[in-house]
DNA sequence: AAATTTGTCTATTTACATTTC
DNA sequence: GGAAATGTAAATAGACAAATT
């Protein structure tokens, strides 16, 4: 018999299990998922305590618990002891990012797609390579782990970042996302937890979902995870790893301080925490601003992923991974399971470009082009943009209280500009920032960029009055 | 108090839980895994009934059950009601297949690697393509789902097999293994079961492990799954899907009859069973032997995977997937999570080769070359080889009672020939066949092939007396 | 500072269905 | 053909620890 007086303190959710066919725990989980997807339970809603719900439904506490766990693992709920269970803020927003081109009139500033013009040197090199001897082998199976020469190119690549590693620590993946998925699927089990920033790269959310891992957002200050935050997540959330993007954090564009890098390295060593460091933007930073990746401070604890997509060319679909020795077999197996091997043509091009110095030239070009575009962005939207270095390919646009990120995304879409609202990047149950990410590098010309930015400004100004 | 008289019927396993620190169920699972890996519990061993073990250890039945389930999901055990629990026959053999070259003196006939000489036309086409206009875009991001033209090439590819599908049913993957992993990770949950042949392509074992799915071997007759076998597995093992390779089944080389193809199509429709059809070898069959894939008979039930690795060139890392409509979103998301997109250069080459007819020429060349090699194989090892069409790139070598597959693999290795023993292909708890798979297409020349086969013959003859 | 709230984890009880003998 | 053997699944009970009040 229910003890609580439900009348006085109405429960936020009163499911009806009376005509459920499947087992109780499943029926409950299904109802919950349905109600979240339907919007009956909004993100951020606090659910009734498990005991109260059990009492109300006249079933056992553990049965409710089990149902909640199922939804929790799907990323629909996030809960903490003593505090309660909440509907995740990103429970619904689960859209795939699709490379545009569907609406040619839309100015694409959502996805970050470096423009094709800078690919000239890559194309020329590839053409030469195909003419060379041994080019027939470029269409046979490649060695799964890459050749010594290719892994050596990876070493050279990390060297540019100020991180000295060696051939035995390098594996190759078919791009940054491929690398990320391999690490998650290869090293994490269903139910394992991974700490992230409170807004983060959506690709980690997709990869985590595939691996069955749960993301929890780590407490932060000034756009950086705090020491206490990480320690708390280790002790109380039992996270097995963290995911970080120290250079031009996606989506905020923040560059992690040297102190925090060292702090994370230290904590990870002390607690045997797996660090997944996404160094995709490291080499986009200005040359005089050399900040080595966290991996440099804890090389046996950190997976350092270095995709070439943003720095050389996206079509190369290649990433180097620095792999801690003890995790090498597991990641090797995961990459083999997913890819067998990387395309021989592309890895050969990559290795060649790095070896002969062309890669450096391309990076310099890309940096200059981005800087040119950020100068334009700063001129048009200065007061709204979160500050950033000139070579960051995207910007974090802070909105007034008039808009949520999602609302602005829709408004911008109607004005013919695609941007991505903060909701797409959120983790956990904190309400999303009022912000959107805009890519300055995607529009094919500076003119189109300008037009897009002007349109955004119009929307902002119109609502300022 | 134990009821059974353990003295009389000694239990096959008497674990010692007395000094376990972790929870009972975990400690038991760990002990079990350890003892299997150490070889204390051999593949095929029947474990004591759960109740007896619980009694012996003086713990609850469910606790044992839980421990067994953990090991079962790792592929270490396979059990059936009324019958008991057995150590899986492939519990230990878990090696990665690595593309050789490490020992140059070894004649590689283990992995199936089409030789590079046939890549000439591919290389020439790629060279032309790079010279063409728009070639800069080949190094930018590609559309995740492929362009219309590329998907149209997939339609044309399936058309050659006698299977008519359309553009909306096609997705692209970065090779056959990539496709397989995407299907498994995208559509199956931890603990889901998938039926396979009793010997099967090891890649499905790796992919299943990553997805957390369990493989169960389906009853068969004459190298083909039987209707009763599939129905049994649906009803009693609760399989959610089956994996089949109807053309040149790996490793036996068997071609599935037309009747069985239709039977599988029908059962899958009736039971909403997901069929994963690996059609990698379909187009290697002789032209006059057109047998459409199972997908042709149940297109909304069958994922049909068509890698180009064995037919055109492995380095293209491309596979077309025919996807049932209802599963399209799930697979699309999985592929996006793993790859974002396929390399634009390679998919452009693939689409071009198919469109201009070069692909057909290459297939014909490959078939002829394989036939030449099988003629040699038949001459040297006729009496040992399981019969097969001339265009099958590998053969199933049946051994006498003198050898297990593994033993022969080792003997061959000592004689400088790499082959793969049946143990690498086994699923379930039936002891492996006495057989090895030999690839006739991997040695770079017919002479090397001949030498390899002669060495194998020597081993066989020496032990016949 | 102590009591209460709250989620999590392990082990147990009970019921069930299939297979074997 | 019926009893016994055997694995599987769901629901429950109890203990624990962190967070809140």
């Amino acid at each position: 018999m229910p003890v609580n007086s439900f009348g006085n303190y109405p429960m936020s959710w009163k499911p009806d299990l009376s005509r459920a066919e499947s087992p109780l725990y499943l029926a409950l989980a299904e109802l919950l998922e349905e109600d979240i997807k339907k919007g009956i339970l909004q993100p951020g809603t606090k659910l009734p305590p498990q005991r109260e719900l059990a009492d109300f439904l006249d079933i056992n506490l553990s049965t409710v618990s089990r149902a909640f766990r199922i939804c929790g693992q799907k990323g629909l709920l996030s809960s903490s002891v003593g505090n309660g269970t909440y509907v995740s803020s990103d429970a619904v927003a689960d859209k795939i990012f699709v490379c545009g081109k569907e609406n040619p009139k839309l100015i694409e500033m959502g996805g970050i797609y470096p423009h094709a013009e800078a690919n000239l040197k890559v194309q020329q090199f590839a053409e030469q390579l195909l003419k060379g001897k041994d080019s027939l082998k470029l269409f046979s199976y490649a060695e799964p782990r890459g050749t010594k020469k290719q892994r050596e190119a990876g070493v050279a690549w990390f060297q540019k970042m100020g991180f000295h590693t060696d051939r035995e620590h390098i594996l190759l993946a078919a791009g940054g996302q491929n690398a990320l998925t391999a690490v998650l699927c290869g090293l994490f089990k269903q139910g394992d937890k991974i700490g992230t920033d409170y807004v983060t790269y959506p690709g980690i959310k997709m990869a985590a979902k595939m691996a069955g891992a749960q993301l929890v957002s780590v407490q932060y200050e000034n756009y950086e995870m705090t020491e206490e935050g990480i320690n708390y997540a280790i002790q109380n959330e039992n996270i097995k790893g963290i995911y970080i993007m120290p250079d031009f954090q996606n989506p905020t564009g923040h560059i992690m301080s040297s102190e925090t890098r060292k702090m994370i390295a230290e904590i990870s060593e002390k607690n045997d925490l797996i660090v997944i460091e996404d160094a995709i933007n490291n080499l986009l930073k200005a040359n005089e601003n050399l900040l080595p990746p966290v991996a440099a401070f804890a090389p046996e604890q950190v997976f350092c992923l270095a995709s070439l997509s943003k720095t050389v060319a996206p079509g190369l679909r290649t990433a180097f991974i620095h792999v801690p020795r003890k995790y090498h077999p597991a990641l090797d197996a995961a990459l083999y399971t997913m890819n067998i091997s990387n395309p021989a043509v592309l890895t050969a091009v990559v290795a060649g470009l790095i070896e002969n110095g062309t890669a450096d030239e391309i990076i310099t070009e890309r940096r200059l082009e981005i800087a040119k575009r950020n100068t334009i962005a700063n001129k048009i939207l200065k007061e709204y943009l979160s500050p950033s270095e000139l070579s960051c390919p995207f910007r974090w646009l802070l909105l007034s209280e008039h808009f949520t990120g999602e609302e602005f995304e829709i408004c911008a879409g109607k004005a013919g500009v695609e941007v991505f609202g903060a909701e797409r990047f959120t983790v956990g149950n904190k309400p999303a920032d009022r912000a959107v990410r805009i890519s300055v590098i995607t529009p094919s010309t500076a003119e189109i960029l300008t037009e897009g930015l002007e349109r955004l400004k119009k929307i902002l100004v119109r609502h300022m009055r």
Side-chain angles (χ1 to χ4, degrees), chain A:
Chain A
M1 196 52 205
V3 188
N4 299 294
S5 49
F6 299 110
N8 295 345
Y9 299 96
M11 295 202 299
S12 58
W13 188 51
K14 292 192 175 185
D16 173 20
L17 276 183
S18 59
R19 48 198 174 66
E21 306 223 333
S22 38
L24 290 173
Y25 77 96
L26 264 184
L28 189 59
E30 281 160 13
L31 261 177
L32 184 49
E33 180 165 3
E34 216 172 279
D35 284 359
I36 292 173
K37 296 247 157 107
K38 274 187 192 159
I40 296 174
L41 289 168
Q42 290 282 327
T45 309
K46 178 172 182 167
L47 291 176
Q50 297 182 358
R51 277 173 185 77
E52 236 173 274
L53 207 50
D55 205 5
F56 168 74
L57 295 168
D58 208 13
I59 59 178
N60 190 277
L61 162 68
S62 294
T63 309
V64 177
S65 218
R66 193 169 172 192
F68 276 28
R69 184 164 56 240
I70 289 172
C71 291
Q73 288 188 355
K74 287 186 182 172
L76 299 169
L77 304 177
S78 66
S79 44
S80 56
V81 176
N83 191 1
T85 306
Y86 298 79
V87 179
S88 293
S89 52
D90 62 337
V92 197
D94 204 24
K95 315 153 190 167
I96 285 195
F97 284 57
V98 178
C99 229
K101 312 287 153 55
E102 273 147 30
N103 176 356
K105 284 183 194 158
L106 196 69
I107 299 181
E108 165 83 48
M109 297 171 66
I112 302 167
Y113 312 128
H115 47 274
E117 287 65 31
N119 294 338
L120 182 62
K121 287 179 173 163
V122 178
Q123 179 262 325
Q124 288 170 339
F125 185 87
E127 208 181 317
Q128 285 309 310
L129 192 77
L130 281 184
K131 282 185 192 147
K133 71 173 176 72
D134 267 3
S135 66
L136 289 188
K137 287 198 180 145
L138 298 177
F139 296 97
S140 286
Y141 279 115
E143 291 184 38
R145 299 181 183 92
T147 62
K148 280 184 188 170
K149 195 184 140 188
Q150 288 159 1
R151 279 179 282 135
E152 204 61 66
V155 173
W157 189 257
F158 284 114
Q159 189 70 54
K160 293 183 211 296
M161 302 181 187
F163 168 36
H164 183 68
T165 175
D166 59 52
R167 240 167 29 201
E168 278 62 47
H169 281 81
I170 303 290
L171 283 172
L172 276 74
Q177 179 68 33
N178 185 254
L180 196 51
T181 305
V183 172
L184 263 71
C185 288
L187 280 120
F188 294 83
K189 297 189 310 292
Q190 177 119 39
D192 281 349
K193 292 184 179 172
I194 299 174
T196 66
D197 287 305
Y198 76 109
V199 282
T200 193
Y201 169 55
I204 181 80
K205 295 207 254 177
M206 302 189 300
K209 195 171 178 183
M210 179 171 281
Q214 266 182 276
L215 299 183
V216 297
S217 105
V218 174
Q219 194 216 47
Y220 63 96
E221 215 164 81
N222 299 325
Y223 296 111
E224 291 183 3
M225 294 181 183
T226 63
E227 186 162 1
E228 309 77 56
I230 301 176
N231 277 323
Y232 177 91
I234 293 173
Q235 293 209 328
N236 302 325
E237 305 256 31
N238 194 25
I239 59 170
K240 195 176 158 190
I242 58 173
Y243 169 79
I244 52 174
M245 195 185 293
D247 306 289
F248 300 146
Q249 197 267 349
N250 191 341
T252 62
H254 179 77
I255 297 180
M256 186 186 284
S257 70
S258 180
E259 295 72 44
T260 302
R261 289 175 198 237
K262 285 174 190 156
M263 178 270 285
I264 290 179
E266 205 170 299
I267 290 191
S268 74
E269 283 178 337
K270 199 179 291 169
N271 299 280
D272 196 18
L273 187 72
I274 298 176
V275 178
I276 306 160
E277 176 175 33
D278 196 333
I280 187 168
N281 297 320
N282 184 292
L283 292 177
L284 281 182
K285 283 178 312 197
N287 262 335
E288 60 274 17
N289 194 0
L290 186 88
L291 263 178
V294 175
F297 306 111
E300 294 305 335
Q301 215 55 48
V302 181
F303 285 90
C304 192
L305 320 185
S307 159
L308 303 201
S309 296
K310 306 292 189 243
T311 32
V312 184
L316 293 173
R317 310 303 313 131
T318 301
F320 294 111
I321 315 176
H322 161 86
V323 189
R325 198 169 298 127
K326 60 185 160 189
Y327 300 124
H328 191 282
L331 186 64
D332 189 28
L335 285 166
Y336 189 79
T337 299
M338 287 172 49
N339 308 326
I340 302 279
S341 69
N342 276 7
V345 196
L346 298 180
T347 37
V349 170
V350 165
L353 289 172
I354 293 174
E355 202 186 22
N356 74 8
T358 310
D360 293 318
E361 296 169 22
I362 297 174
I363 295 174
T364 307
E365 285 172 21
R366 294 246 181 231
R367 267 195 219 128
L368 286 176
E369 176 66 23
I370 298 174
K372 202 174 92 187
R373 279 144 181 269
N374 267 319
T375 311
I376 297 174
N378 284 339
K379 211 173 288 170
I380 300 176
L381 289 174
K382 184 97 194 179
E383 62 263 51
Y384 306 99
L385 292 173
S386 157
S388 139
E389 259 195 33
L390 276 179
S391 51
C392 182
F394 52 86
R395 303 296 292 274
W396 193 231
L397 178 64
L398 301 171
L399 304 164
S400 61
E401 72 281 5
H402 298 294
F403 290 107
T404 65
E406 201 174 7
E407 284 162 4
F408 188 84
E409 180 178 325
I410 294 168
C411 275
K414 284 181 185 161
V417 184
E418 178 163 67
V419 295
F420 287 158
E423 291 76 5
R424 296 181 182 246
F425 305 94
T426 333
V427 168
N429 54 19
K430 223 180 69 92
D433 282 1
R434 292 175 174 271
V436 295
R437 189 190 74 181
I438 60 175
S439 164
V440 298
I441 198 63
T442 304
S444 51
T445 66
E447 287 67 42
I448 299 178
L449 171 71
T450 306
E451 168 66 17
L453 293 170
E454 293 286 2
R455 288 188 198 170
L456 296 182
K457 182 160 192 180
K458 234 180 241 168
I459 303 172
L460 289 167
V461 172
R462 193 187 319 144
H463 285 82
M464 284 305 281
R465 288 165 301 181

